[in-house]
Amino acid sequence: MSTNPFATALAQLHRAASILHLKRDILTQLEKPMRTVEINIPVRMDNGRTRMFTGYRVQYNNARGPFKGGIRFHPAVNMDEVKALGFWMTIKCATVGIPFGGSKGGVAVHPQKLSTKELERLSRGWARGMYPVIGPDKDVPAPDVYTNPTIMGWMVDEYSNIAGKKTPAAFTGKPLALGGLRGREDSTAQGGVFIIQEVVKKLHLVPSQTRVVVQGFGNVGYHTARLLYAAGYKIVALSDSRGGILSINGQSMDPDVVMKTKREKGMIDGCYCLGTVCDCVNFKKITNSELLTTSCDILIPAALEHQITGANARRIKAKVVVEMANGPTAPGADAILYRRRIPVVPDVLANAGGVTGSYFEWVQNKEKSRWSQAKTLKKLRPLMLASFNDMWRISRKHKVDLRTGAYVLALKRIALAMGK
Ligand code: GLU
């Protein structure tokens, strides 16, 4: 099976299209992005020399509203990955029924190797280069892997400078002072937790006895683990890109304690340290591949694509997989897990709290208002639950996996918007 994420995206599209009997002309349109943009970004480095970076934006589909999707800064970014991510944004916005199409952007860069000033010049360069194709009613970028509110702040400032007027609705995921939304920072995680609470009910699990494993300790992985720990779930394994920590006897870990050690040591260590007392007996270091096959109730991939594949799907020992990353499960693995009766709550719903938070931020900026965090959470929960229940019902009706159920729901909405 191919490791190309766009091949994965197309396989998922075709599967749902056949269940839905999607009209051929709609399928053909959805097999390709509406527009791909590639730019050269010259960045003056601190040593005085200029380095070129490649920036991408894929505007996949805008039948349901302005293009919407994050920007990823990662060395592995390439056009096929951005195309897949743009496609998934299209399906995601339709799954939760927010009035956006889908897009994605990125830069092939190792952001940790740049100084803050270099990162700012690169971010401003991306916004300047993409200025002609983005905007509040055209295409609205947001954070993704290794981008954050500070970066959105630089970009929206650059955009506003060129436009000659403050344009906060051009980007979402901004700092609060620049029109950001209270609660956007952890809205992806929060949306996922609302869904997990429903899944737990469906599977008759008890939160205090539910063992959770989280792969990835960025914005999404960290906040998801933190919120689940606060809700009484047992966090038994966590990891970042370099490896992780496993609780050998099932004792729960406080993600904030792990974060503190990670900050001090620069990585997730195999010991669980409360202050100066480190427990290296009941906890141990594990690799990311060991983490995925750890025995648990809920496995949460929250890092990158293509983690659960034909190679490890038979060894997954979770009762349910909740995809907080985009595209972590390969189509071959989907089929294996379905046969093994391990439900996979798909990315296009599980992590849709992020773009839904972005939608609230965009509305807030358009109506020049200020939402409270309470208002955001009050609006987020019913929206996530309604889509979850629709997806569950459709997948039962057609006797298909949850991903295909979500895609059927989304594709119907996209086809309607296309006038078919
Ligand atoms: N990058 C996030 C995602 O993959 C958020 C996108 C957005 O808010 O536009 O869903």
Side-chain angles (χ1 to χ4, degrees):
M1 181 49 77
S2 165
T3 57
N4 179 338
F6 192 56
T8 297
L10 288 181
Q12 295 166 345
L13 168 66
H14 287 138
R15 171 152 169 69
S18 70
I19 301 284
L20 178 62
H21 303 295
L22 190 69
K23 288 212 177 72
R24 184 70 231 174
D25 52 349
I26 295 194
L27 179 60
T28 313
Q29 280 188 56
L30 289 174
E31 281 169 341
K32 282 194 176 148
M34 288 174 68
R35 180 195 262 164
T36 59
V37 183
E38 190 177 317
I39 57 172
N40 244 331
I41 310 173
V43 175
R44 189 170 46 78
M45 306 303 279
D46 292 345
N47 64 9
R49 302 188 59 176
T50 297
R51 225 176 107 185
M52 302 305 294
F53 292 88
T54 308
Y56 302 91
R57 189 72 176 165
V58 171
Q59 299 182 323
Y60 206 93
N61 185 278
N62 66 353
R64 300 185 63 262
F67 298 106
K68 183 85 192 81
I71 306 165
R72 176 173 293 199
F73 283 2
H74 190 277
V77 164
N78 60 57
M79 190 56 99
D80 270 335
E81 183 186 52
V82 184
K83 273 161 69 175
L85 291 162
F87 169 78
W88 287 323
M89 286 309 302
T90 307
I91 299 290
K92 191 184 300 184
C93 293
T95 301
V96 285
I98 55 175
F100 283 129
S103 55
K104 200 76 168 202
V107 177
V109 59
H110 223 306
Q112 294 93 334
K113 291 190 182 162
L114 300 187
S115 71
T116 307
K117 280 285 155 206
E118 289 166 345
L119 194 60
E120 173 170 355
R121 290 193 282 267
L122 173 64
S123 305
R124 289 183 181 276
W126 191 97
R128 224 173 16 252
M130 294 296 177
Y131 181 83
V133 297
I134 59 174
D137 297 302
K138 271 199 268 183
D139 184 358
V140 186
D144 194 72
V145 174
Y146 293 147
T147 52
N148 57 31
T150 306
I151 291 176
M152 294 306 114
W154 292 325
M155 289 187 171
V156 79
D157 182 62
E158 191 67 24
Y159 186 96
S160 296
N161 285 343
I162 303 173
K165 58 174 187 225
K166 285 271 173 242
T167 319
F171 287 80
T172 60
K174 302 178 291 293
L176 280 185
L178 297 177
L181 177 81
R182 279 188 191 83
R184 172 63 184 87
E185 189 78 8
D186 59 8
S187 69
T188 312
Q190 190 63 72
V193 170
F194 289 144
I195 296 293
I196 289 168
Q197 286 164 343
E198 287 306 297
V199 172
V200 161
K201 277 191 230 156
K202 294 255 187 228
L203 302 184
H204 307 292
L205 297 171
V206 179
S208 63
Q209 289 159 24
T210 301
R211 295 161 305 153
V212 178
V213 167
V214 183
Q215 184 200 38
F217 213 49
N219 172 285
V220 177
Y222 162 67
H223 285 296
T224 305
R226 181 182 63 78
L227 291 170
L228 288 174
Y229 178 79
Y233 289 76
K234 285 182 160 190
I235 311 298
V236 295
L238 292 169
S239 72
D240 64 13
S241 59
R242 292 197 275 172
I245 178 168
L246 169 75
S247 161
I248 296 167
N249 52 23
Q251 190 184 320
S252 187
M253 283 180 273
D254 179 348
D256 279 317
V257 169
V258 177
M259 182 57 101
K260 193 162 174 284
T261 317
K262 177 180 154 86
R263 286 221 175 97
E264 280 160 14
K265 302 196 176 164
M267 62 193 289
I268 293 190
D269 190 59
C271 303
Y272 188 63
C273 302
L274 287 163
T276 53
V277 184
C278 287
D279 183 343
C280 314
V281 175
N282 295 304
F283 298 87
K284 71 168 192 185
K285 184 133 192 88
I286 46 166
T287 64
N288 262 298
S289 60
E290 286 165 345
L291 174 128
L292 290 171
T293 54
T294 295
S295 167
C296 64
D297 298 299
I298 309 180
L299 173 62
I300 306 182
L304 297 172
E305 307 89 72
H306 206 72
Q307 300 300 306
I308 305 178
T309 65
N312 60 10
R314 282 179 196 83
R315 286 180 287 121
I316 298 288
K317 295 183 208 69
K319 293 202 178 84
V320 56
V321 176
V322 180
E323 294 184 334
M324 294 303 288
N326 289 312
T329 312
D334 260 338
I336 295 169
L337 294 173
Y338 188 67
R339 273 200 304 276
R340 292 186 58 209
R341 294 176 194 276
I342 300 176
V344 178
V345 184
D347 46 8
V348 292
L349 175 71
N351 72 31
V355 73
T356 305
S358 279
Y359 167 56
F360 297 154
E361 180 174 333
W362 181 78
V363 170
Q364 172 190 269
N365 295 151
K366 288 231 156 208
E367 60 185 31
K368 298 188 168 53
S369 63
R370 264 303 195 203
W371 288 30
S372 66
Q373 182 151 3
K375 177 170 173 180
T376 300
L377 290 179
K378 209 170 146 225
K379 294 242 176 214
L380 182 61
R381 189 166 185 276
L383 204 141
M384 296 297 296
L385 296 196
S387 314
F388 175 81
N389 288 324
D390 287 345
M391 170 190 76
W392 196 272
R393 187 177 37 76
I394 294 172
S395 59
R396 282 284 149 96
K397 180 174 152 206
H398 293 285
K399 298 193 173 48
V400 291
D401 56 286
L402 295 174
R403 186 186 321 282
T404 307
Y407 273 49
V408 166
L409 173 67
L411 290 172
K412 270 190 193 158
R413 290 177 173 162
I414 295 167
L416 263 177
M418 286 177 165
K420 308 284 171 168

